[in-house]
Structures are given as structure tokens and as C-alpha cells.
Amino acid sequence: MNTSYNWIKSYVPGLAAGNQEYFDKMTLSGTKVEGFAALDKNLEKIVVGRIEKLEPHPNANKLVVCQVNVGGPEPLQIVTGAPNAAEGQTVIVVLDGGKVAGDHDGHLPEEGVPIKAGALRGVPSAGMMCSVEELGFEHSYFPEAPENGIYVFPEGSNVKPGDDALAALGLHDTVFEYEITSNRVDCYSVLGIAREAAATFRLPFVPPVVPQTGNAEKASDYVSVEVKDTDLCPRYTARVVKNIKFGPSPKWMQERLRASGIRPINNLVDITNYVMEEYGQPMHAFDYDLIAGHKIVVRRAENGEKFVTLDGQERTLDDRMLMICDGEKAIGIAGIMGGENSKITDDVKTMVFESACFDGTNIRLSAKRLGLRTEASGKFEKGLDPENALAAIDRACALVEELGCGEVVGGCVDVYTKKPVPREIPFRPDWINRFLGTDISEETMLSYFPPLALEYDAARGAVKIPTFRQDLEGEADLAEEVARFYGYDNIPTTLPTGEATAGKLSYKQRVEALASDVMEYCGFSQSMNFSFESPKVWDKLRLPSDSKLRQAVTILNPLGEDYSIMRTLPLGGMLGSLATNFSRRNKNVKLYELANIYLPKALPLSELPDERRQLCFGAYGETDFFALKAAAEEFLRKAGLKDPLEYENTGEYPFLHPGRQAVIRYQETGIGYLGEVHPVTAEAFGIGERTAVAVLDLPAILPFTNLDNRHYEGLARFPAVSRDLALVMDKSMPVGSVEKMLRQRGGRLLESVQLFDVYEGAQLDEGKKSVAYSIVLRAKDRTLEEKDITGVMNKILNGLKQMGIELRS
């Protein structure tokens, strides 16, 4: 986006900042300026002159000697080779000691080209008459300039010898280039930039006054508008201008257009381009007499439909593109380019002005499919404000009347099907100050809003957002408005509040770091896998067809079938990594991963899925079920889970061996599972050894963890008493239930229970096993007496008896 600084100043009276100051302050307030170029750079001592007399050069056929009036007492003698020089012309003269930007061939040295008085082929020359190329501009910048020769001011230019030629040409100006983000569509206009400049420099913003225009007739009597696809065109406005009179645009308009990089053509074309730059609203004009039925229909194109655009190219359309049509045919591609069959020619008598709002996404995709990106489509694709359409067309009609281009018909045809709902954002100064780390008064904050057209409703405690500020959606956006005009450089350095201060991890991150430390201490290496995988994994894991784990989030634009869903359990990636290691003949592999899984709350998705962090680890080789169980218990113990874990074989995991799997519970809450991989599953993944895996659900574990409130306990002051128990029980009885009973019966005197032997053999009855425990009893405040020990042991023996367990003799 390029703008003329003079154009900005016309809407911000009192703006007198230098180029660099403007560059710096606008960038700091959020309107990033990429650079600027002064149009009068390297142009010095350049005035208006009039050729009073012209004679042939005595020593050169291609040179002439001119006497040029530059406003002084005597004319200057200047020798030139310009083929178009003639007596009576008003030209540009560079005086002795002056400077131009380049030479006639368009070469532009960094420091410019100095001009000094001298002699050409023996005839003195006191300066130079120059072309637009020597001023540093291409011929297209001044279309009235000759292709080869000096610049001649057109008749009626209202300049006289000695005047500042640069001022006469409108070159005392600077063009600023901005980098506008796509969410600030309001700044794709001169008015939007001027509004930002007024707010930045704390000056009044004075937009152009648009008077009511039009004769006593009604535009609706001339043309009708029907919008068939309102989802792609929320607003379409049309006005009629008759008795068209073509001519050049005024000097001020041409200067502003040239500074924006637009070549002036004629008054009507220039008006549409001018309003597009000023309001950021593209417009188009149709020849009224070429519109069949004097009716405009906005509809989707038909598949395979052919259309010739203004550039003479035939385009093939499809039903995703929006067209502007008359009663019989298409006359324009909406928001991109008009048609050759309705273009404005010099013979036009009456025309229809179009100013509409189209769906930005549709315009962008249509332009991409057609390979036709225009200035208009570049603006429409950002998503324009529908309210701006009527304001822009009224401004264009006001300029038509002001420049005498034609007679504006009264009224406007306005089809407005989807009005934007104005937003309100709560205004809480205390919250903004906490958010920014500042101490700005409420009055200061409120003073930033009026120049931005933000209205504060004190009764509701909210700020009303104008429809052109589509980027303001929440309180953080409002805080940003305060911050950028208060000055980012004025915001003090403060530490953020909460856990995420410098040098400290959040509690959740600390638990995850502990998990990594324990896994690596236990000999596991970290692995990483994609969060998206193939639905084929479900079959490898033998999940039933009705399993909830098959209800996954499907990716709309997957890289391929192997990456088409978000994983609902982490084992697919873990077993795939183990299989890769096995295929490469790596032995005794132990891997872990802190993996995210994604469990949709409903399908199709209506809200974000439940994203859970899980610790998944697996191994094959010299390891087994119990090694993984020990690693899981080590992590949970380090995390602060002091109560005993419970293990139960529910058989609910089809990918695990039916007799070698267990759900892990803590205080009756399921926190994970572990087991040996089912042989069929292992074979499906290509793992040829017995493999064990475990999964711990960190969100379920987190409420039970305790990393901070740990207390040191000194060495025991009183002696301990140990007892060994050898128990005979059924093989089917899990030792976990035995340990649970021992801890319950042992009470507060029980210090530890340690399993030290399991025996199955000929000395026992069939179906029996012998399990031996070492029990340690201790009191913290006294030495245990025999009665204390006997009481506890009797409770334990009674509990064993009730479970059908006998002491081994």
C-alpha cells in the first residue's frame, strides 16, 4: 500500500512531521511503514521557464540555442538538443548549480546529476531544460509528456517563469510504502491511514465532506438489481450518471493518483481509481446502453461458461465464481474484472456506477483459479466492510458533479441482504493495566478511542466497535489499541504474573520433566511420533468395530491415508518405533514417549477434542511385564503418590495378552494400564519378540501428585521389629490383594511390606503357590512391646484366614 504524504495531510490538518519522524511514529503505533521515497529527491534549483527565442546552433545541426525567461531581469541562454523545443513553450529549467535525478536514458545515480553552466560546441549554456526522465520518473508518470524531448507545460497550467517547477508538477511530496496485515482491511485506504496518523500524532481527523448529489429523478427508474447468491454478495449498490463529459482530471487528482502509482487517464476512470484508493472500495462502471433490459443480476457462473474480460482474454468459468450479469448475458466477473461487452468507451452517454461487497474468500479463490489477480480483487479478498460500499459510491458521484463529468441521477439502488452486527467489547481499565503491566489512567485510555471511531458507552461499560474494524474482537484487542498509542516504548519492563515467570516451569511441565527423568533413569530412550496416523492402526491393535477409540478426528487436508486421523491412543506410534528397531536387529530396546492423544467429545466436531498427555513406554528383549510395572511405580512414587497402587485384570484391552494385562488404579481412579502385547498384535507390527507396554494418563495422575509439600523425616529413634510370613494360597489370587490387606491390618505401626519370594513346585499341592513377605513394624514415639506386636500380627493372621490363605509350615 503506497500513499502520498500530501494526501494524508489533507485529512489531518496540522500534520507537519518530517519524513523520518512520520516513518518512526507510524511504525511504532502499529501501522508499519516499509520505506519512503521523496519525489523531489536530488532535484535542486529547478524553475519554470519560457522559451522566448530559438535559433539554430552555429556549429551543430541537432542543437538549438534558446533564450529562456526564468523570471530574472535577463533571459538565460540554454543550448539544447530536444527535438520538440519551440518558441513560446513553458518548460522546466535547471539553473546553474542545480541538480537532477538522472539522465535522459533513465539512469538514476544515488547522488543525482549536478548541472553547471558551460559551453556546448563553442556556445555558452547557462543551464538545462529537462525531460521527466531526468527528473527521475518514467514517461507513464506524466502521460502528457512527449516520448522524446523536454517537458512542456500544457496550456492553462497557470504557471509563469520563475515559479517553482517542482511545486507546479506536484513533486514536493513523499510516497510512503506500508506493510498492511490482512486483518486491517480499513488501512488499505488513504482514509484508513489518515485516521491512524491522526490518532498517532493526536491531531483531528477531517475526512472529506460528501454532499448529497443527484437530480430529481430516481436511479431505480433507470436500472434494477437482483442478487441471487446473497451468501457471496451481502451488498450491491448502483447509481446512474447521464450526459457524460470526458476530459482530463484536475491537477490535484492526477498528482495524488500518480503518487499512488496509478496513471491518470480521464476524469471518469480517474474518479473510480481515486475513490478506490481513498476509501479502499473498488468500483466499476458499465455503459448503461449496453446493459440488456437495464437490469443487473448477481449470480453464480455456470460450469464451462465462457466470458471475455476487459483485457480481451476469454475465460472459462465454473459454478464457484460470482458473475455480474444483465438481463441476457454476463457483463463482469464480480470483484475481479469487467467484461469487454459493457466497457466504457468515448461514445458513452449514460453509465452505471457499481459499488458492492463480495465474499473475500470466494474472490480470492476465483482469482486464483482464473489466474487473474487485479487491484480490485486484492482488496476484495481481504473482506471489505459492507457499510463502505454506499459511502464510496456517494463520494464518486460527488466528484462527478464537482468535476462536471456528467449529471448524477438522484437516489441509489441498494440491495443490502446481510448487515454486519456491530460488536461491543467490555472496557475494564484495571484488566488492561494488568494485562499490559502498566498504570495508565482510565481518562488517558479513553482519549485514544475517539480518533479511531471507537465509541465508549459509559452506561454499559463497553466500547462500540465500528464495522470497518473487523480486527477488534476481544478485550486483548482493545488493550492492544491502548498499548500502541500509549507507546510500546513507554511500557515498563515487568515479569509476567503466575507460574510462567522467568526460570520456572509450570507444575504440569515439572511433572512431565520428572516422567522423562525417571524413564531415562530406568534405561528408556525417548521417542517422538506424529499425532496423526492411519486408521489401519485400529485393525492392527484388534480394536472392536464399535470401540470408542475408533471415533477419531479426521484431518480435512491429510498428507495421505497414513496421516488422515488424529490418534486416540499412543500405542500405534510406540509399537511402530519398536518394530523399526526390531527390523534393524537392535536388541533390548526400551522406548518412552510423552504423547498427546485426541478424544472427540462428539462427531462431527462441534468443539475442540479432549487433548490428553500420556506417558507411553514399551520394551522388548531382556525385559518383561514386571520391569515396566517397576518403572511405572518408580515414577508414581517420585511424583508423590504414596498410597499403594491397585492392579486389576479386566481384559478390556484387546491389543494386550488376555492373561498378562492390568488396569492401574490409585484411590479407585484409573490412571493407566500395562501388559504384554498380544502375539497377534506384535506380529501385525512386525515385532518377533515378547513385548511389554504401559500407558499412564498424566491428567488423571496430576491431582494426586505432590512435588512441593514434602517434609523431611529424621532417622528413626526407636527400633523396628520384623516378621516374615510364608503364605500358601491359590495361584489365581493376585498378591496385590494380599498386600492391600496387610497394609490395612497393619495400621499405623506397619512401616513396610516387602515381597521377597514366590514358589511353585512339587512340595505344594496342585494349584497352589507360596508367597513370602517381610513385614517391618515400628512406632515413632516409643519402643514396641510384645503386646503391640502380637495385636498387629493377630489382625493380619485373621485377615489372611478370611481370605483362605494359610501359613506355610
Side-chain angles (χ1 to χ4, degrees), residues 45 75 80 110 179 235 263 272 280 330 341 352 380 396 436 476 508 551 622 631 649 657 715 737 771-772 809:
K45 299 181 72 173
T80 180
E110 182 64 28
E179 180 187 334
R235 190 174 197 181
R263 181 173 62 90
T272 60
N341 55 7
V352 175
F380 275 120
L436 298 178
K508 175 176 174 289
Q551 299 176 9
E622 296 179 2
N649 187 349
H657 192 291
L715 296 174
S737 61
V771 179
S809 56

Side-chain angles (χ1 to χ4, degrees), residues 54 129 176 207 302 409 420 428 460 499 504-505 519 685 695 721 744 756 770 782:
L54 185 147
M129 295 180 287
F176 284 89
E302 297 178 1
V409 174
R428 297 186 294 163
R460 298 173 60 84
E499 289 187 329
K504 184 178 180 181
L505 298 175
M519 286 295 104
F685 278 92
V695 175
V721 176
Q744 289 176 344
F756 67 87
S770 173
R782 57 192 172 86

Side-chain angles (χ1 to χ4, degrees), residues 360-597:
T361 302
N362 178 264
I363 297 300
R364 178 177 60 84
L365 294 176
S366 297
K368 185 176 181 181
R369 285 192 291 269
L370 289 170
L372 179 63
R373 195 172 190 273
T374 61
E375 183 77 14
S377 69
K379 292 184 181 293
F380 275 120
E381 68 186 22
K382 306 295 189 301
L384 299 184
D385 175 20
E387 293 292 319
N388 199 37
L390 182 60
I393 201 170
D394 286 345
R395 171 64 166 162
C397 290
L399 289 171
V400 167
E401 289 192 350
E402 179 182 340
L403 304 185
C405 305
E407 181 183 357
V408 178
V409 174
C412 175
V413 180
D414 186 2
V415 180
Y416 203 172
T417 59
K418 191 194 313 184
K419 293 187 178 182
V421 179
R423 293 189 300 274
E424 284 189 353
I425 298 177
F427 175 64
R428 297 186 294 163
D430 293 341
W431 183 91
I432 291 176
N433 277 322
R434 288 198 306 273
F435 185 73
L436 298 178
T438 55
D439 187 20
I440 308 172
S441 68
E442 179 178 345
E443 292 74 18
T444 301
M445 292 185 189
L446 290 174
S447 70
Y448 300 140
F449 296 157
L452 301 171
L454 305 179
E455 298 180 16
Y456 175 58
D457 187 338
R460 298 173 60 84
V463 176
K464 296 180 180 179
I465 309 301
T467 55
F468 62 79
R469 287 301 301 272
Q470 301 173 16
D471 59 307
L472 299 183
E473 298 180 347
E475 288 185 86
D477 299 318
L478 208 58
E480 182 184 10
E481 298 301 291
V482 172
R484 65 195 187 97
F485 292 110
Y486 176 71
Y488 292 113
D489 52 333
N490 294 323
I491 297 177
T493 301
T494 58
L495 288 174
T497 58
E499 289 187 329
T501 54
K504 184 178 180 181
L505 298 175
S506 69
Y507 188 81
K508 175 176 174 289
Q509 290 172 323
R510 291 168 58 197
V511 172
E512 293 178 4
L514 175 65
S516 292
D517 290 344
V518 171
M519 286 295 104
E520 290 167 12
Y521 167 77
C522 293
F524 290 82
S525 298
Q526 187 172 14
S527 68
M528 296 182 69
N529 293 286
F530 291 122
S531 291
F532 32 81
E533 61 185 5
S534 169
K536 297 176 183 177
V537 170
W538 295 332
D539 296 328
K540 289 184 177 181
L541 294 174
R542 306 175 66 247
L543 293 178
S545 58
D546 60 348
S547 173
K548 289 185 177 180
L549 296 176
R550 285 182 177 262
Q551 299 176 9
V553 178
T554 302
I555 299 172
L556 291 178
N557 55 340
L559 297 175
E561 184 184 5
D562 290 343
Y563 306 99
S564 60
I565 61 168
M566 303 301 293
R567 61 183 174 185
T568 55
L569 72 172
L571 289 177
M574 175 56 64
L575 293 175
S577 297
L578 291 172
T580 300
N581 278 273
F582 180 80
S583 68
R584 295 178 183 176
R585 301 185 180 182
N586 293 328
K587 298 180 179 180
N588 303 321
V589 175
K590 300 168 75 173
L591 300 175
Y592 81 93
E593 179 184 7
L594 287 166
N596 285 353
I597 64 168

Side-chain angles (χ1 to χ4, degrees), residues 677-741:
V677 177
H678 196 289
V680 175
T681 297
E683 182 181 359
F685 278 92
I687 306 175
E689 291 194 32
R690 292 175 64 171
T691 304
V693 293
V695 175
L696 296 177
D697 189 53
L698 295 183
I701 295 170
L702 205 60
F704 302 111
T705 59
N706 180 10
L707 300 184
D708 298 322
N709 299 323
R710 299 190 179 188
H711 302 283
Y712 170 75
E713 293 184 4
L715 296 174
R717 298 172 55 194
F718 301 96
V721 176
S722 63
R723 294 286 187 272
D724 292 343
L725 294 175
L727 310 175
V728 178
M729 63 190 74
D730 293 338
K731 284 185 179 182
S732 61
M733 180 173 290
V735 294
S737 61
V738 178
E739 290 184 9
K740 182 177 179 181
M741 186 278 297

Side-chain angles (χ1 to χ4, degrees), residues 182-236:
S182 58
N183 66 327
R184 287 303 306 272
V185 66
D186 59 299
C187 287
Y188 283 93
S189 65
V190 174
L191 287 177
I193 297 293
R195 187 183 292 108
E196 290 291 310
T200 298
F201 290 92
R202 309 305 297 273
L203 294 169
F205 170 58
V206 184
V209 177
V210 181
Q212 187 174 0
T213 57
N215 57 23
E217 298 176 288
K218 293 183 179 179
S220 57
D221 293 337
Y222 280 77
V223 65
S224 63
V225 175
E226 178 186 2
V227 179
K228 291 186 176 181
D229 293 286
T230 57
D231 57 324
L232 300 183
C233 179
R235 190 174 197 181
Y236 191 100

